[in-house]
Amino acid sequence: MVDQIKKPLKITETILRDAHQSLIATRMTTQQMLPIVDKMDQVGYHSVECWGGATFDASLRFLKEDPWMRLRKLRDGFKNTKLQMLFRGQNILGYNHYSDDVVEYFVQKSIANGIDIIRIFDCFNDLRNLQTAVKAANKEKGHAQIALAYTLGDSYTLDYWKDMAKKIEEMGADSICIKDMAGLLLPYKATELVEALKETTSLPIQMHTHYTSGVASMTYLKSVEAGADVIDTAMSPFSMGTSQPATEVMVETFKGTPYDTGLDQTLLAEIADYFRPMQEDALRTGLLNPKVLGVDIKTLLYQVPGGMLSNLVSQLKEAKASDKYYEVLEEIARVRKDFGEPPLVTPSSQIVGTQAVLNVLQGERYKMVTKETKKILSGEFGQTIKPFNAEVQKKVIGDLVPITCRPADLIEPQLEKFKKEVAQYSQQDEDVLTYALFPAVAIEFFKYREAQQTKVDVKVADTESISYPV
């Protein structure tokens, strides 16, 4: 190594969010998390990702837990460590766009209840869909990190990524994350990308990838050597496969180098020992499918995320058309092109995949379309890097005039309406946000909560913070 200047690598631990979301369908409970928090707090992580993504929905729907209560309990336990969440821009943690007042209020309440770093992304990398969340995080003195969904295609050049980095810095973000949700970023491409970003911006660069395609550890090694500041890892019992590289392995890799993390392997081993029985139990019950722990090379061949591939297999099996698998994979590439070549990440991956299945099964392209396909082609999700296929757009939306402005500009304020609708069940300020995101699931949970007589403790509920707009 030429440069011997010390630059200790920082680590974001994902075991309390993305790791169990990726491997065991987000089923880790708060009670399983709390006993190890004190030890995790001693590690010296850059941050612990513990909220957002699918955890909010899964807590309510499957675990009958209040996600806000989880956040407060974790905040109480992590005295020295920053807490981080994943936030889907104008979609918040749901699948539709929300009005600005709802986005602002959600950011405010997330920070008031204990979040330090908000990682904000958009499935099209349409920065207009991130503006409101970034401004709200800045206002609340939170750390606003913008995550760029990494993907491949002739438009996604180094100049594209550099241009995005410049705009992100201008927007007022505190750091940039390269979010490689499908494990498509190859080691030497990572070197090029990180070096290009480092030349362009002074913002810290964080790397996030999944082991799905088998290259993630090598990609991290080359990224760090090229100047990346932080990497996302998962404790070994819930690492690899569709999760992140193992924390202990990456710590050992950089030991004795200028990037030495300084983290204590003995402490990490104790934490791993805590989670191991949980992993063994998940394997025994079938919650953790051994298949997701392997390498899926089709990810690199077809540039399709692992979760999308498994979705595809089950859709075709249901339609008794498993023999059409490779035909559908080819059609996914064509549909993605028709849709302006967006990254394939929630929800665009599901929409493109489902439409490709329909096109193949119907024997005619776009003979039958989903309502989400109509939304994309009418501009309701925002702007893609390339224009939509005009012929396909015409066939799908007819004479409807597509939206070209920021989609949320057309959404009237919704917060007061949601407050009225949920008033009879509301026990804390945050309940309106739970209801806004998942109305049916929230009402079911609120009824369950009442039946259990588990009233929210007003001493810990955030009733002081004023609501937007001020």
Side-chain angles (χ1 to χ4, degrees), residues 164-176:
M164 292 294 268
K166 271 187 214 137
K167 287 176 177 165
I168 287 169
E169 190 160 16
E170 284 160 15
M171 196 189 278
D174 297 293
S175 62
I176 296 173

Side-chain angles (χ1 to χ4, degrees), residues 1-67:
M1 266 175 230
V2 184
D3 183 9
Q4 287 302 307
I5 297 165
K6 283 198 171 150
K7 193 201 168 193
L9 172 67
K10 295 172 183 170
I11 302 259
T12 289
E13 176 59 60
T14 68
I15 194 158
L16 301 186
R17 204 285 298 177
D18 200 12
H20 75 101
Q21 179 175 317
S22 298
L23 294 179
I24 57 168
T26 332
R27 294 300 198 276
M28 200 183 286
T29 66
T30 306
Q31 287 316 111
Q32 287 175 306
M33 297 174 184
L34 293 177
I36 198 63
V37 162
D38 187 46
K39 271 202 169 71
M40 288 180 72
D41 196 34
Q42 296 166 34
V43 171
Y45 289 121
H46 167 68
S47 65
V48 168
E49 193 202 36
C50 62
W51 212 59
T55 62
F56 200 94
D57 185 6
S59 295
L60 295 162
R61 195 185 298 265
F62 304 114
L63 306 177
K64 293 287 177 271
E65 287 186 9
D66 180 359

Side-chain angles (χ1 to χ4, degrees), residues 35-305:
I36 198 63
V37 162
D38 187 46
K39 271 202 169 71
M40 288 180 72
D41 196 34
Q42 296 166 34
V43 171
Y45 289 121
H46 167 68
S47 65
V48 168
E49 193 202 36
C50 62
W51 212 59
T55 62
F56 200 94
D57 185 6
S59 295
L60 295 162
R61 195 185 298 265
F62 304 114
L63 306 177
K64 293 287 177 271
E65 287 186 9
D66 180 359
W68 297 100
M69 192 56 80
R70 172 181 293 186
L71 176 53
R72 290 177 199 130
K73 285 179 176 174
L74 290 171
R75 180 70 283 165
D76 283 348
F78 281 106
K79 313 254 187 256
N80 312 299
T81 310
K82 287 184 173 166
L83 299 185
Q84 184 166 324
M85 75 174 288
L86 183 68
F87 193 97
R88 295 186 192 124
Q90 211 69 28
N91 293 1
I92 308 178
L93 304 176
Y95 304 100
N96 299 305
H97 278 220
Y98 292 90
S99 60
D100 287 339
D101 62 339
V102 176
V103 174
E104 288 164 344
Y105 196 46
F106 201 101
V107 169
Q108 182 198 345
K109 287 297 183 186
S110 300
I111 292 171
N113 279 281
I115 288 296
D116 299 290
I117 301 170
I118 301 190
R119 178 178 290 172
I120 309 159
F121 81 100
D122 175 70
C123 72
F124 284 178
N125 286 336
D126 184 343
L127 298 181
R128 299 174 307 169
N129 293 334
L130 308 177
Q131 285 166 353
T132 301
V134 170
K135 277 183 191 157
N138 290 160
K139 181 174 181 180
E140 298 301 321
K141 308 282 189 287
H143 178 114
Q145 179 178 85
I146 288 187
L148 288 170
Y150 181 80
T151 191
L152 303 170
D154 55 14
S155 301
Y156 296 96
T157 59
L158 280 181
D159 282 341
Y160 165 82
W161 299 114
K162 284 161 75 170
D163 183 49
M164 292 294 268
K166 271 187 214 137
K167 287 176 177 165
I168 287 169
E169 190 160 16
E170 284 160 15
M171 196 189 278
D174 297 293
S175 62
I176 296 173
C177 172
I178 295 299
K179 180 179 167 60
D180 179 24
M181 57 281 163
L184 298 176
L185 181 56
L186 297 170
Y188 287 101
K189 290 289 176 194
T191 301
E192 284 175 19
L193 178 58
V194 173
E195 284 177 351
L197 292 177
K198 281 285 173 184
E199 283 165 20
T200 310
T201 176
S202 59
L203 294 181
I205 306 294
Q206 182 153 358
M207 302 301 289
H208 172 92
T209 189
H210 291 250
Y211 221 99
T212 324
S213 62
V215 300
S217 290
M218 295 181 281
T219 296
Y220 275 171
L221 178 63
K222 299 308 283 181
S223 299
V224 172
E225 289 176 352
D229 302 279
V230 195
I231 57 171
D232 287 8
T233 64
M235 289 304 303
S236 55
F238 286 94
S239 68
M240 313 292 277
T242 50
S243 177
Q244 279 77 47
T247 305
E248 306 96 304
V249 174
M250 297 316 296
V251 166
E252 199 62 23
T253 299
F254 293 108
K255 204 172 178 181
T257 75
Y259 315 107
D260 196 326
T261 63
L263 302 191
D264 179 356
Q265 285 285 23
T266 309
L267 183 56
L268 292 175
E270 287 174 33
I271 295 165
D273 287 344
Y274 175 81
F275 286 107
R276 199 164 289 108
M278 232 179 272
Q279 181 223 44
E280 287 160 3
D281 195 47
L283 281 166
R284 188 177 48 77
T285 59
L287 184 58
L288 176 53
N289 184 334
K291 275 185 189 169
V292 302
L293 293 171
V295 166
D296 190 344
I297 196 59
K298 290 195 195 92
T299 303
L300 288 179
L301 295 177
Y302 298 105
Q303 299 168 21
V304 171

Side-chain angles (χ1 to χ4, degrees), residues 446-462:
F446 295 150
K447 285 176 178 171
Y448 166 83
R449 183 174 67 183
E450 274 180 18
Q452 298 296 304
Q453 295 176 321
T454 50
K455 295 288 181 194
V456 171
D457 182 350
V458 290
K459 289 192 295 248
V460 294
D462 173 40

Side-chain angles (χ1 to χ4, degrees), residues 343-354:
L344 295 175
V345 62
T346 304
S348 57
S349 52
Q350 291 89 329
I351 301 168
V352 168
T354 304

